[in-house]
């Protein structure tokens, strides 16, 4: 019975084609903000701390440093307010959840960029 409910739920929710990203990647999330009767697009650029959930309840958390203070925001994949996602850098990390980044600041908070293979660069 629960599989039938999940099937109907998946059919009703629209899917957007976002680029593939993982924890450690630096992304920019452009999302729609509605203030009264005005609507605008605001961008949130930071590192992906975690991805969790499956299907329409999946979310991802992005962390950035704003004026020396760490700011995290959770975005649902199925949100109609997400306009687009742009992958800026692909990070090289060995974990799926980067909670240790919360304690770090300065140079120790940097995530190494993954070096792409030269063959892939020649095709581009």
């Amino acid at each position: 019975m629960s599989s039938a409910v999940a099937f109907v739920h998946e059919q009703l929710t629209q899917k957007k084609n976002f680029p593939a990203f993982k924890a450690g990647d630096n992304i920019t999330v452009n999302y729609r903000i509605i203030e009264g009767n005005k609507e605008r697009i605001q961008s949130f650029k930071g590192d992906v701390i975690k991805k969790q959930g499956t299907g329409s309840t999946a979310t991802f958390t992005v962390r950035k440093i704003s004026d020396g203070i760490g700011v995290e925001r959770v975005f649902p994949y199925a949100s109609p307010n997400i306009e687009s996602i742009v992958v800026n850098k692909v990070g090289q990390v060995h974990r799926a959840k980067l909670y240790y980044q919360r304690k770090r600041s300065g140079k120790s908070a940097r995530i190494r960029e993954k070096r792409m293979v030269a063959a892939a660069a020649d095709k581009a």
Side-chain angles (χ1 to χ4, degrees):
M1 181 64 184
S2 64
S3 63
V5 172
F7 176 76
V8 171
H9 189 64
E10 290 294 325
Q11 295 298 320
L12 293 177
T13 57
Q14 60 182 356
K15 291 183 174 60
K16 294 186 179 182
N17 292 328
F18 294 132
F21 61 91
K22 59 181 179 33
D25 292 355
N26 186 287
I27 65 171
T28 302
V29 181
N30 297 313
Y31 58 99
R32 205 174 292 118
I33 291 184
I34 299 166
E35 296 170 334
N37 57 357
K38 293 183 182 178
E39 185 177 300
R40 64 185 174 89
I41 303 294
Q42 183 171 340
S43 62
F44 192 91
K45 181 178 179 180
D47 296 321
V48 178
I49 296 296
K50 68 175 176 174
K51 289 171 65 174
Q52 71 178 19
T54 57
S56 61
T57 60
T59 61
F60 60 97
T61 304
V62 181
R63 178 180 174 83
K64 73 174 182 176
I65 305 296
S66 179
D67 294 326
I69 298 172
V71 179
E72 289 186 12
R73 182 155 180 169
V74 179
F75 295 98
Y77 274 103
S79 173
N81 293 331
I82 294 181
E83 191 72 24
S84 65
I85 297 175
V86 179
V87 178
N88 303 321
K89 294 180 186 175
V90 178
Q92 182 179 357
V93 294
H94 298 284
R95 295 170 186 267
K97 308 279 194 280
L98 306 179
Y99 298 135
Y100 65 88
Q101 286 290 91
R102 293 173 177 163
K103 298 183 205 122
R104 298 198 175 182
S105 63
K107 287 189 175 183
S108 69
R110 288 185 298 185
I111 296 175
R112 284 179 51 193
E113 188 172 357
K114 190 174 201 176
R115 300 193 60 177
M116 298 297 165
V117 180
D122 292 338
K123 290 180 183 176

